[in-house]
């Protein structure tokens, strides 16, 4: 015992009977003799006041160092003490010069700062004896913590950061248990029979080469959560991770996807040989998936590597039976790799069966999935059935839904409440009739894929403010030409409006023209300009004719306008643009022949003979009507209809 002499200003107090005052200098390994140390007045007063029996007639040591009086059977005490002694680390708690430790005299080694072993075997409630399995569980937990500290020490020697070591160790519970079990099993080997647990655990970690593997995986852009999961999945077969990673890199799986591919491919991936993995890749390549695509496909759908060859063949055959060739199948897998390996075979079969209920045959379903494989990722109950009910409510038949599915299949993948319902409500608010919404959606299904606030609403505002469409006609314009909502305001609509205004058409007149023919704004200005020039210079028609019949721009200049104008010039006939163009060739020929015949009869005087014959009748009303008809026929060939 090292005695501390009393300070002259402090009363002499008897030493604490159950405690030992130890200077940190005694714990130094190079200390070969005792050094008496005189404390200053403050530290001595505080220490003696703490240990003074006058403060408490029955002083007790601090709770953490208190010696429990609860007795333990001798044999059980020896076994439990030996079990925990093997589990405890021997590393001392860091000390500083001059520190003082007060310990129980029952400790076998006063040079350690660890609490007494007996306190670890007592229960927290009343000091009752714990069951054997609780004691063993506590001992295993202590040993697990010791193993984790040994692993952290090995990581620190590998030049890893403290934060990285801590985060990774927290995700390696399975590997820590593996090291603990292997280290305990090494006790049976003759060469390790006399070694400590710490030495055996260090040997297991070193032989597994786990630290260099972690460094290599980190260099290949694998995050520490993925590294922790991989090492836990390996079940001690650490080298299998390096082998599979090298194989994945050989098929062009990029570094940032290596960890995702390894962790999501299933636990049996590390158990597959390179030949088995090559067989999967070769089979996909033989069915149209190009070799250069394989890394992309595998990294986006790692589950492909977890299937047996029989399961993989069944999945591929499901699509080949729908009439897909190698090119269709390969591009489908490249566009959406999850279509082949993410969903169960029963789910895919059920979705194919549901698509056929729209009236599609097997080959049409195959073409649809080859064009838009994302449909296979949609839920029947959550996506398709609610959408079908909503479309049916707006008067869209099964044929209309079939057209929407074939033209824009992505509609069946969007959220109904968040995407489709607000747009339909907006169309109703601007005046589109309820019975016209269904026809509008069937005519232009892509409308439902546009943004309401960034695309649809700005176009409507532009039509009402810049193009002159009034509020009464805007619903009619959108219902007749929903394609306008897909046009760019800057690149298409604004340029067309400026062109028509430059012709001398007022904004109000342009709005009426658009209400009469909404597709007017969709034509290219380069197509409109030659037609307008021919109308004004060759046909010598006024601008009012164009305002009254804006559909003039919808007809082909070389295919209809010029040929019919030449016929009218040859026959010396003048017709309004509406009657000149808005008819078939047969109807136009009959109309021209009728006008020519009436003119011939008028010039031959036959019309007057018919008039004289009609005047011989007794009915004056008939004569009046006949004369009116004659005047109409005579005026028909001279005036512009």
């Amino acid at each position: 015992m090292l005695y501390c002499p009393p300070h002259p200003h402090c009363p002499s107090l008897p030493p604490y009977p159950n405690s030992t005052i130890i200077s940190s200098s005694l714990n130094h390994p190079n200390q070969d003799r005792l050094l008496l140390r005189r404390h200053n007045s403050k530290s001595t007063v505080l220490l003696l006041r703490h240990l003074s029996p006058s403060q408490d007639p029955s002083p007790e040591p601090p709770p953490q160092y208190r010696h429990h009086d609860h007795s333990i059977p001798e044999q059980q005490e020896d076994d439990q003490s030996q079990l925990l002694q093997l589990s405890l680390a021997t590393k001392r708690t860091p000390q500083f010069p001059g520190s003082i430790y007060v310990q129980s005299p029952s400790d076998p080694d006063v040079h350690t700062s660890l609490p007494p072993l007996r306190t670890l075997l007592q229960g927290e409630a009343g000091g009752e004896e714990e069951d054997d399995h609780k004691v063993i569980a506590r001992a295993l937990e202590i040993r697990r913590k010791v193993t984790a500290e040994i692993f952290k020490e090995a990581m620190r020697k590998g030049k890893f950061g403290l934060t990285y070591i801590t985060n990774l160790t927290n995700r390696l519970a399975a590997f820590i248990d593996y090291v603990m079990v292997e280290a305990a099993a090494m006790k049976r080997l003759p060469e390790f029979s006399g070694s400590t647990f710490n030495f055996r655990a260090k040997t297991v970690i070193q032989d597994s080469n786990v630290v260099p593997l972690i460094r290599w995986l980190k260099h290949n852009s694998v995050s520490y959560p993925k590294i922790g999961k991989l090492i836990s999945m390996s079940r001690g077969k650490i080298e299998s991770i390096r082998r599979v990673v090298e194989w994945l890199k050989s098929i062009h799986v990029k570094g940032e996807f290596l960890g995702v591919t390894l962790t999501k491919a299933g636990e049996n991936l590390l158990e597959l040989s390179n030949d088995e993995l090559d067989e999967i890749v070769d089979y996909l390549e033989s069915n149209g998936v190009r070799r250069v695509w394989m890394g992309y496909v595998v990294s986006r759908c790692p589950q492909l590597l977890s299937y047996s060859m029989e399961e993989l063949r069944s999945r591929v055959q499901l699509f080949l039976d729908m009439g897909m060739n190698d090119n269709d199948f390969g591009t489908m897998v490249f566009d959406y790799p999850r279509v082949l390996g993410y969903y169960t075979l029963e789910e895919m079969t059920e979705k194919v069966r549901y698509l056929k209920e729209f009236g599609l045959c097997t080959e049409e379903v195959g073409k649809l999935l080859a064009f838009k494989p994302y449909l296979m990722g949609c839920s029947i109950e959550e996506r398709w059935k609610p959408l079908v009910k909503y479309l049916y409510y707006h008067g869209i038949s099964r044929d209309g839904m079939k057209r929407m599915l074939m033209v824009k299949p992505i509609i069946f993948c969007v959220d109904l409440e968040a995407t489709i319902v607000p747009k339909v409500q907006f169309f109703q608010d601007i005046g589109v009739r309820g019975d016209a919404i269904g026809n509008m959606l069937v005519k232009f299904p892509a409308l439902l894929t546009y943004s309401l606030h960034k695309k649809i609403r700005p176009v409507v505002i532009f039509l009402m403010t810049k193009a002159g469409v009034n509020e009464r006609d805007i619903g009619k314009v959108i219902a007749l030409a929903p394609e306008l909502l897909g046009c760019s305001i800057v690149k298409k609509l604004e340029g067309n409006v400026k062109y028509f205004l430059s012709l001398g058409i007022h904004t109000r007149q342009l709005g009426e023209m658009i209400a009469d023919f909404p597709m007017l704004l969709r034509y290219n200005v380069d197509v409109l300009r030659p037609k307008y020039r021919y109308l004004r210079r060759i046909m010598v028609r006024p601008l009012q004719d164009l305002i009254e019949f804006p559909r003039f721009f919808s007809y082909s200049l070389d295919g209809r306008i010029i040929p019919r104008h030449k016929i009218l010039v040859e026959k010396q006939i003048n017709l309004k643009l509406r009657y000149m163009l808005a008819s078939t060739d047969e109807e136009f020929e009959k109309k021209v022949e009728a006008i020519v015949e009436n003119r011939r009869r008028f010039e031959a005087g036959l019309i007057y003979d018919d008039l004289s014959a009609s005047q011989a009748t007794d009915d004056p009303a008939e004569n009046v009507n006949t004369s009116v008809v004659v005047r109409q026929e005579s005026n028909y060939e001279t005036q512009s209809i």
Side-chain angles (χ1 to χ4, degrees):
M1 176 184 296
L2 175 65
Y3 176 70
C4 179
H7 194 272
H9 298 286
C10 297
S12 177
L13 297 174
Y16 190 71
N18 294 328
S19 301
T20 301
I21 303 176
I22 304 174
S23 176
S24 62
S25 62
L26 295 178
N27 294 329
H28 199 280
N30 297 327
Q31 188 71 25
D32 55 355
R33 61 189 181 86
L34 298 179
L35 296 178
L36 298 180
R37 183 174 185 273
R38 181 183 298 275
H39 295 275
N40 57 27
S41 59
K42 291 184 179 180
S43 62
T44 304
V45 169
L46 292 176
L47 177 63
L48 295 178
R49 182 179 301 173
H50 177 70
L51 300 178
S52 174
S54 61
Q55 301 288 337
D56 189 355
S58 57
E60 294 183 359
Q64 62 270 28
Y65 304 121
R66 188 178 302 155
H67 175 67
H68 296 279
D69 296 333
H70 302 287
S71 62
I72 300 175
E74 183 177 358
Q75 183 64 31
Q76 182 180 4
E77 179 181 358
D78 295 339
D79 295 342
Q80 294 174 342
S81 300
Q82 184 178 3
L83 177 63
L84 293 181
Q85 182 65 36
L86 294 175
S87 302
L88 293 175
T90 59
K91 185 177 180 181
R92 294 186 305 165
T93 303
Q95 303 176 8
F96 58 91
S99 60
I100 298 176
Y101 295 89
V102 181
Q103 295 183 324
S104 173
S106 62
D107 280 350
D109 185 7
V110 296
H111 295 285
T112 178
S113 61
L114 297 175
L117 291 176
R118 293 176 182 267
T119 60
L120 297 175
L121 303 178
Q122 302 300 326
E124 297 179 358
E128 297 179 357
E129 183 179 354
E130 295 182 349
D131 298 334
D132 291 342
H133 70 278
K134 293 183 179 180
V135 175
I136 295 175
R138 182 181 299 178
L140 291 176
E141 185 63 27
I142 294 175
R143 178 160 290 186
R144 184 178 288 110
K145 293 180 179 179
V146 172
T147 308
E149 292 298 327
I150 296 173
F151 176 78
K152 290 180 179 179
E153 182 64 26
M155 290 286 291
R156 281 192 288 269
K157 292 181 180 179
K159 306 300 182 182
F160 288 93
L162 181 60
T163 302
Y164 188 89
I165 294 174
T166 304
N167 294 336
L168 180 60
T169 305
N170 294 336
R171 298 176 181 270
L172 288 176
F175 180 74
I176 297 299
D177 291 343
Y178 165 78
V179 174
M180 183 176 62
V181 172
E182 290 294 322
M186 290 175 63
K187 184 73 174 179
R188 303 175 182 177
L189 301 178
E191 58 269 25
F192 296 101
S193 59
S195 61
T196 62
F197 173 80
N198 292 10
F199 177 78
R200 285 180 271 122
K202 291 179 181 178
T203 304
V204 173
I205 294 174
Q206 184 177 1
D207 293 343
S208 65
N209 293 324
V210 64
V211 177
L213 177 66
I214 294 173
R215 171 70 65 184
W216 185 72
L217 292 174
K218 184 179 179 182
H219 177 72
N220 284 275
S221 303
V222 182
S223 61
Y224 73 85
K226 299 294 188 301
I227 294 177
K229 188 174 182 179
L230 279 176
I231 296 177
S232 300
M233 287 169 51
S234 66
R235 300 173 182 175
K237 301 178 181 179
I238 302 298
E239 288 302 323
S240 62
I241 300 177
R242 186 185 295 269
R243 175 182 59 82
V244 176
V245 169
E246 291 291 350
W247 182 85
L248 291 175
K249 293 172 67 175
S250 68
I251 62 171
H252 310 293
V253 176
K254 297 183 179 180
E256 60 268 23
F257 295 103
L258 287 173
V260 178
T261 304
L262 287 169
T263 54
K264 291 187 177 181
E267 297 182 358
N268 62 337
L269 175 63
L270 300 178
E271 301 176 0
L272 297 177
S273 64
N274 287 2
D275 294 337
E276 293 174 328
L277 296 173
D278 290 336
E279 185 180 3
I280 296 175
V281 172
D282 293 340
Y283 179 73
L284 293 176
E285 186 178 5
S286 64
N287 286 280
V289 183
R290 299 180 184 178
R291 190 80 179 187
V292 294
W293 297 347
M294 207 62 65
Y296 176 84
V297 172
V298 171
S299 60
R300 266 66 180 182
C301 185
Q303 292 81 3
L304 287 173
L305 302 178
S306 64
Y307 295 126
S308 62
M309 287 304 303
E310 292 76 13
E311 176 71 13
L312 185 60
R313 289 190 181 94
S314 300
R315 291 173 173 271
V316 173
Q317 195 63 37
L318 173 67
F319 296 99
L320 297 182
D321 291 341
M322 290 186 285
M324 290 188 186
N325 53 30
D326 291 346
N327 292 332
D328 292 340
F329 179 79
T331 54
M332 179 193 70
V333 175
F334 177 77
D335 291 339
Y336 189 59
R338 298 179 63 167
V339 71
L340 185 60
Y342 187 78
Y343 309 100
T344 63
L345 191 60
E346 292 75 13
E347 289 178 337
M348 294 191 294
T349 304
E350 184 180 2
K351 291 175 182 178
V352 171
R353 189 183 305 112
Y354 188 85
L355 291 174
K356 291 181 180 179
E357 295 182 2
F358 290 97
L360 301 175
C361 63
T362 304
E363 290 73 15
E364 289 177 334
V365 174
K367 294 180 181 179
L368 180 63
L369 293 177
F371 174 69
K372 192 61 66 176
Y374 300 97
L375 286 171
M376 197 62 74
C378 301
S379 172
I380 295 177
E381 298 295 332
E382 297 179 2
R383 282 279 190 264
W384 291 352
K385 288 186 177 180
L387 177 61
V388 169
K389 292 180 180 178
Y390 186 78
L391 296 178
Y392 181 78
Y393 172 77
H394 286 283
I396 301 177
S397 61
R398 190 183 71 166
D399 293 337
M401 297 180 192
K402 176 183 177 181
R403 184 183 185 280
M404 296 176 65
L405 183 62
M406 296 298 293
V407 174
K408 206 67 177 178
I410 194 64
I411 293 176
F412 286 75
C413 299
V414 300
D415 186 78
L416 176 63
E417 296 295 332
T419 305
I420 297 179
V421 173
K423 296 174 185 175
V424 174
Q425 184 62 43
F426 176 77
F427 297 144
Q428 293 175 342
D429 294 341
I430 64 175
V432 180
R433 297 183 306 178
D435 56 349
I437 290 180
N439 296 330
M440 181 178 65
L441 298 180
V442 173
K443 181 180 179 181
F444 190 62
L447 178 66
L448 295 177
T449 63
Y450 297 145
S451 173
L452 176 60
H453 300 284
K454 296 182 180 180
K455 186 68 174 177
I456 298 177
R457 192 188 299 270
V459 171
V460 172
I461 295 175
F462 177 84
L463 293 176
M464 298 180 65
T465 56
K466 302 297 183 179
V469 181
N470 56 42
E471 185 178 356
R472 183 185 66 257
D473 296 331
I474 187 63
K476 173 187 174 183
V477 171
I478 299 300
L480 293 177
E483 298 86 353
L484 286 176
L485 299 178
C487 298
S488 172
I489 295 178
V490 177
K491 297 180 180 180
K492 172 63 69 174
L493 300 180
E494 192 174 23
N496 285 25
V497 169
K498 289 182 178 179
Y499 173 73
F500 288 114
L501 295 179
S502 67
L503 300 179
I505 301 174
H506 299 291
T507 304
R508 180 184 58 81
Q509 293 174 331
L510 179 60
E512 295 176 354
M513 293 172 63
I514 296 173
D516 185 22
F517 185 58
M519 296 295 291
L520 185 66
L521 296 179
R522 295 195 66 236
Y523 294 111
N524 195 339
V525 176
D526 295 334
V527 177
L528 300 176
R529 189 176 290 109
K531 297 179 182 180
Y532 175 77
R533 187 182 298 114
Y534 187 84
L535 176 72
R536 298 285 283 165
R537 296 180 181 181
I538 306 301
M539 299 178 66
V540 195
R541 296 285 184 127
L543 182 62
Q544 185 63 30
D545 288 1
L546 183 62
I547 297 175
E548 293 177 355
F549 188 66
R551 292 178 182 269
F552 168 80
F553 290 107
S554 64
Y555 298 104
S556 172
L557 179 60
D558 297 327
R560 176 165 294 193
I561 298 176
I562 294 178
R564 293 193 178 185
H565 176 251
K566 289 182 178 180
I567 293 175
L568 295 180
V569 171
E570 292 174 358
K571 302 295 183 179
Q572 298 181 357
I573 299 174
N574 187 17
L575 292 177
K576 285 188 175 182
L577 296 177
R578 185 183 306 274
Y579 300 106
M580 170 185 170
L581 300 174
S583 60
T584 62
D585 293 338
E586 292 78 7
E587 294 175 349
F588 179 74
E589 291 177 359
K590 291 180 180 180
K591 188 180 299 184
V592 171
E593 291 176 358
I595 296 175
V596 172
E597 179 63 20
N598 289 337
R599 184 172 58 187
R600 185 188 64 80
R601 294 176 60 191
F602 176 77
E603 293 176 351
L606 297 178
I607 295 180
Y608 294 101
D609 294 342
D610 295 339
L611 179 60
S612 301
S614 64
Q615 290 177 352
T617 59
D618 297 333
D619 191 356
E622 185 178 354
N623 296 336
V624 175
N625 294 335
T626 304
S627 62
V628 172
V629 173
V630 172
R631 288 195 300 269
Q632 290 179 349
E633 291 180 353
S634 61
N635 294 332
Y636 182 75
E637 60 186 13
T638 57
Q639 68 179 359
S640 176
I641 300 178

